Amino acid sequence: HGYSRDLDKARAKLKEAGYPNGLKLEGITPNEDPWRQLGEVVKAQLAEIGVELHAPLVDRAETRVFFRQGKGDFYVSRWTGRAEADMTITENYHSKGAFNVGNYAAPGLDALIEQARGTFDRAGRQKLYRQIQATIMAQALDVFLVFPYMLIASTQRLQDFEIYGDGKMHLR
């Protein structure tokens, strides 16, 4: 479902969090499109509520170092997802997940994730992942901004080409 644009509510949330005069955030943005444009849009929108964003453009390789070292407050990134929900959920939202560099532990979320990992009944697992998703959205653990189209072109001469659900090209 996501969130609707409500500048007054955003300002109120900042005030409630102890930032009545706004705040400054440090991060980075990959120097490639569409991430460069996305960084510019986010910077302009946050300025409307008093959030100053400092996000210099850097090479993609530098974003990985920045992320792994847990520097700054944010970085603009992409996530292509994985074939199994657990691979995305655990890596990003479990307090010990490889991509949860801040080791943030949302109340009750680790227990839900671990329960889902141990559930083999498809319906039960789906129900748990819906609860996990609701928690992620309610606490705004990530801000999902855009899902760009992925265009793939080929010729009839290319044989045995498969498109994978993770959005990555697997070439062998």
Side-chain angles (χ1 to χ4, degrees):
H1 295 305
Y3 304 97
S4 60
R5 182 177 168 86
D6 187 335
L7 298 178
D8 291 333
K9 184 176 182 179
R11 288 183 195 102
K13 287 288 187 184
L14 277 172
K15 187 176 180 179
E16 181 183 312
Y19 301 100
N21 301 316
L23 74 149
K24 294 180 182 183
L25 297 175
E26 297 288 330
I28 56 173
T29 303
N31 191 15
E32 58 189 56
D33 294 331
W35 317 116
R36 178 178 31 237
Q37 295 109 329
L38 186 59
E40 291 169 6
V41 168
V42 170
K43 183 176 182 173
Q45 289 181 340
L46 288 174
E48 293 180 81
I49 60 168
V51 175
E52 184 182 324
L53 203 57
H54 179 70
L57 299 172
V58 298
D59 180 79
R60 166 75 53 193
E62 192 175 334
T63 66
R64 294 178 205 283
V65 172
F66 180 91
F67 177 76
R68 290 287 185 198
Q69 292 177 354
K71 296 180 176 179
D73 303 304
F74 74 94
Y75 88 109
V76 176
S77 178
R78 67 180 175 162
W79 182 263
T80 58
R82 301 295 182 260
E84 162 58 42
D86 176 68
M87 295 171 76
T88 294
I89 297 295
T90 299
E91 294 300 317
N92 286 282
Y93 303 108
H94 192 283
S95 64
K96 304 292 184 211
F99 296 110
N100 181 354
V101 294
N103 296 74
Y104 178 72
L109 192 56
D110 281 359
L112 270 176
I113 291 170
E114 289 161 16
Q115 185 180 354
R117 294 187 94 189
T119 300
F120 297 99
D121 170 64
R122 188 178 183 119
R125 196 169 161 93
Q126 186 176 40
K127 182 179 176 184
L128 289 165
Y129 280 120
R130 284 197 175 120
Q131 287 179 268
I132 290 166
Q133 184 178 11
T135 301
I136 291 166
M137 292 302 293
Q139 294 192 26
L141 299 181
D142 270 323
V143 179
F144 303 100
L145 299 172
V146 65
F147 292 91
Y149 288 104
M150 186 175 111
L151 302 176
I152 298 173
S154 180
T155 71
Q156 291 181 336
R157 293 184 300 166
L158 180 63
Q159 299 296 308
D160 301 322
F161 178 71
E162 293 182 55
I163 298 173
Y164 293 88
D166 66 3
K168 297 178 181 179
M169 299 203 46
H170 298 262
L171 304 174
R172 293 182 185 86

